[in-house]
């Protein structure tokens, strides 16, 4: 049982220079804070992110959400004992009273949930990942295979009708730190290839720290990634994956990539050919968030061969996941805490995925902060895969550096197990 002494929220900035919410929660053990991330290619079914819509910050201020923490949540939870994270999260949900957290805003509820999770860990004298492990029933901690988004496209590079994320997957290594080193070395080799082929501007960075070569087609990008992997000396150990974020280029039943139209059936063939040519191990959001028949088609054709990840499709929601399980729409969950809005519901989503023999990839958002909560989350859940962007820019490296710390802490007890060496991750 832990008594919350006070909760205070403030408006701070995220990695895109947009406002976001930081909450600070105090207990007898100290002060615990957390910052909410924010997406650009958001799913239509995500929990509501409250924005002010006022003149300041071009409508993107979050003072209403801040006020909801300070004037509604804080008076109700301050001075009160909570037995568990679940109890606080359920209380916050009932205070909100809507299905999508639109009354208080997911960006008001989530930082309080995350900060209280940190407080509970401290009261138990546990590291955050250990506490999350206890809450989620994890037996053995696992360091994730990092999916490194080295080429940014789509909304993250200011473009339409484009594949959003091109990721390196360093899975063939004995430890997380070796995998991160190999992925990072490959990132730097890729930078050299891009500069040589397209000039210095091609190596400028997008929202997630990946390069944004303007004139490179999808084929060029994947070829250059393959070349970087082999020049770095990691053929067979570093693989390639995509997040297409296809809801962004889906219109009237068809998909438009790079100016070319595809029916869902043609898109399945298109992806299958990419898998064949470039050895892709995972494709996220290959189909739009409500194109269930497209997802089913793709999963029945490719689901035994590669990982098929639902992001906008699932929005980390148990009810959307149940529909996807029933329809056999995908075989992996992308877990984003702010899509659902509490830590407890994020853990529930992961547990349902595990029970369904799905893989789980814990993900950042394109708008991030220095908060590295998700690094502890991915290890605490033993999820096995992380998607934290390129190995560059502090809001991304904050997460990788925390994973390095966790790996070191686990190594001291001989328990630093790495999730790599599997067939596709
Ligand atoms: C994604 O689509 O997986 C992603 C991280 O982007 P965003 O945060 O913009 O939704
Ligand atoms: Mg995505």
């Amino acid at each position: 049982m832990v008594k919350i002494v006070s909760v205070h929220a403030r408006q701070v900035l995220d990695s895109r220079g947009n406002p976001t919410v930081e909450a600070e929660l105090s207990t007898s053990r100290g002060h615990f804070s957390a910052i909410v991330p924010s997406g650009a290619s958001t799913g239509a079914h995500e929990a509501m992110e409250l924005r002010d819509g006022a003149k300041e910050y071009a409508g993107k201020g979050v003072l209403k959400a801040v006020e909801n923490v300070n004037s509604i949540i804080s008076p109700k939870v301050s001075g009160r004992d909570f037995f568990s994270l679940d109890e606080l999260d359920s209380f916050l949900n009932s205070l909100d009273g809507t299905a999508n957290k639109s009354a208080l805003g997911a960006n008001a509820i989530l930082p309080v949930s995350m900060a209280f999770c940190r407080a509970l860990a401290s009261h138990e004298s546990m590291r955050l990942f250990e506490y999350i492990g206890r809450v989620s029933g994890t037996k053995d901690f696992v360091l994730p295979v990092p999916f490194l988004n080295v080429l940014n496209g789509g909304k993250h590079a200011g473009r339409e009708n484009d594949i959003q994320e091109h990721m390196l997957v360093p899975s063939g290594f004995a430890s997380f730190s070796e995998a991160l080193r190999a992925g990072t070395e490959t990132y730097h080799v890729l930078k050299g290839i891009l500069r040589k082929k397209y000039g210095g501007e091609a190596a400028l960075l997008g929202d997630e720290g990946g390069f944004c070569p303007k004139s490179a087609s999808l084929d060029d990008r994947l070829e250059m990634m393959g070349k970087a992997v082999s020049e770095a000396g990691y053929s067979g150990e570093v693989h390639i994956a995509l997040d297409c974020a296809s809801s962004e280029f889906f219109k009237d039943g068809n998909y438009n990539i790079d100016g070319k139209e595809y029916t869902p059936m043609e898109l399945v063939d298109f992806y299958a050919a990419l898998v064949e040519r470039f050895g892709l191990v995972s494709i996220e959001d290959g189909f739009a968030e409500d194109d269930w028949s497209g997802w089913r088609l793709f999963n029945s054709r490719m689901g035994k061969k590669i990982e098929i990840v639902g992001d906008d499709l699932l929005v980390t929601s148990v009810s959307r996941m149940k529909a996807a399980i029933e329809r056999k729409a995908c075989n992996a969950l992308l877990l984003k805490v702010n899509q659902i809005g509490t830590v407890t519901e994020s853990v529930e989503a992961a547990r349902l995925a595990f029970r369904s023999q799905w893989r789980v990839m814990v993900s950042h958002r394109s708008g991030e902060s220095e908060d590295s909560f998700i690094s502890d989350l991915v290890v605490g859940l033993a999820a096995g895969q992380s998607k934290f962007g390129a190995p560059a820019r502090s809001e991304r490296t904050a997460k990788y550096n925390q994973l390095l710390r966790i790996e070191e802490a686990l190594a001291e007890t001989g328990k630093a197990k790495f999730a790599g060496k599997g067939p596709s991750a």
Side-chain angles (χ1 to χ4, degrees):
M1 188 172 72
V2 170
K3 188 188 289 301
I4 295 177
V5 173
S6 64
V7 183
H8 174 75
R10 64 178 68 88
Q11 180 169 270
V12 295
L13 293 178
D14 74 13
S15 57
R16 276 194 276 254
N18 290 328
T20 189
V21 184
E22 177 175 55
E24 196 171 306
L25 183 147
S26 302
T27 71
S28 60
R29 282 291 275 260
H31 310 285
F32 305 92
S33 58
I35 304 180
V36 185
S38 175
S41 60
T42 46
H45 307 286
E46 292 191 20
M48 167 81 89
E49 178 188 78
L50 219 54
R51 296 274 173 194
D52 298 340
K55 186 172 138 286
E56 293 78 14
Y57 287 110
K60 291 194 169 143
V62 290
L63 293 176
K64 277 186 201 156
V66 164
E67 189 56 18
N68 288 345
V69 176
N70 293 338
S71 304
I72 299 176
I73 295 176
S74 179
K76 288 272 201 278
V77 301
S78 299
R80 203 180 139 159
D81 294 319
F82 287 92
F83 285 91
S84 64
L85 184 61
D86 183 12
E87 190 192 346
L88 176 74
D89 287 348
S90 303
F91 181 75
L92 295 173
N93 280 339
S94 64
L95 209 53
D96 176 85
T98 67
N100 66 349
K101 301 185 174 59
S102 53
L104 297 175
N107 49 345
I109 293 171
L110 179 62
V112 178
S113 171
M114 288 161 72
F116 191 53
C117 188
R118 285 198 160 107
L120 288 166
S122 170
H123 278 258
E124 296 288 336
S125 301
M126 291 170 102
R127 291 174 189 268
L128 181 56
F129 74 87
E130 292 170 328
Y131 184 74
I132 292 170
R134 183 202 274 181
V135 169
S136 46
T138 298
K139 287 199 191 73
D140 295 308
F141 294 116
V142 177
L143 270 301
V145 171
F147 281 54
L148 302 144
N149 182 10
V150 293
L151 291 176
N152 292 184
K155 272 205 168 151
H156 300 164
R159 284 186 218 132
E160 283 181 31
N161 304 114
D162 190 16
I163 301 289
Q164 179 176 281
E165 299 173 23
H166 312 67
M167 293 171 278
L168 295 172
V169 186
S171 57
F173 298 88
S175 68
F176 170 77
S177 45
E178 283 171 67
L180 184 65
R181 176 175 53 76
T184 307
E185 286 172 8
T186 309
Y187 174 77
H188 289 293
V189 172
L190 179 63
K191 183 178 188 173
I193 294 172
L194 283 163
R195 282 193 162 152
K196 203 160 148 198
K197 188 160 179 193
Y198 296 103
E201 276 193 16
L204 294 178
L205 303 186
D207 278 354
E208 296 190 349
F211 309 117
C212 300
K214 208 165 43 194
S215 41
S217 66
L218 179 60
D219 270 20
D220 289 343
R221 296 180 206 177
L222 293 170
E223 263 161 33
M224 286 187 293
M225 286 174 77
K227 191 166 178 243
V229 169
S230 75
E231 280 184 21
Y234 295 120
S235 297
E237 292 163 322
V238 176
H239 302 281
I240 299 176
L242 294 177
D243 174 7
C244 304
S246 67
S247 299
E248 303 294 325
F249 52 78
F250 178 68
K251 210 171 159 227
D252 303 329
N254 286 334
Y255 295 84
N256 186 318
I257 308 174
D258 256 345
K260 196 167 171 241
E261 287 272 318
Y262 299 84
T263 64
M265 189 69 96
E266 287 166 348
L267 196 61
V268 170
D269 291 337
F270 175 72
Y271 290 145
L274 291 180
V275 169
E276 202 55 49
R277 287 171 59 208
F278 299 103
L280 305 183
V281 293
S282 171
I283 296 183
E284 177 186 327
D285 278 2
F287 289 80
E289 57 206 347
D290 291 312
D291 182 9
W292 289 100
S293 60
W295 278 94
R296 286 173 54 121
L297 213 58
F298 188 42
N299 195 40
S300 70
R301 168 103 174 260
M302 302 297 292
K304 293 261 177 322
K305 193 162 184 197
I306 63 161
E307 178 176 84
I308 296 179
V309 187
D311 171 13
D312 291 354
L313 177 77
L314 305 172
V315 294
T316 317
S317 143
V318 161
S319 65
R320 297 274 304 177
M321 286 173 70
K322 283 183 178 157
I325 291 160
E326 202 182 296
R327 297 176 202 193
K328 296 190 171 51
C330 59
N331 62 26
L333 164 73
L334 193 79
L335 190 159
K336 290 168 162 171
V337 285
N338 80 321
Q339 279 183 329
I340 192 67
T342 62
V343 177
T344 301
E345 288 162 286
S346 304
V347 170
E348 278 167 10
R351 294 184 66 159
L352 173 59
F354 296 143
R355 286 200 300 279
S356 313
Q357 275 80 49
W358 281 11
R359 292 188 180 194
V360 177
M361 189 187 297
V362 172
S363 173
H364 65 166
R365 300 307 303 246
S366 50
E368 266 295 336
S369 76
E370 62 272 32
D371 193 320
S372 60
F373 186 94
I374 54 176
S375 305
D376 286 76
L377 182 65
V378 71
V379 178
L381 289 173
Q385 300 184 341
S386 64
K387 190 175 91 147
F388 298 166
R393 298 173 56 134
S394 299
E395 77 279 6
R396 315 294 152 188
T397 56
K399 278 72 168 170
Y400 292 122
N401 293 342
Q402 176 66 0
L403 285 172
L404 291 171
R405 288 179 204 110
I406 294 173
E407 180 175 53
E408 199 176 273
L410 284 171
E412 279 167 22
T413 57
K415 288 186 179 156
K417 198 165 161 265
F418 177 56
K421 297 255 183 210
S424 71

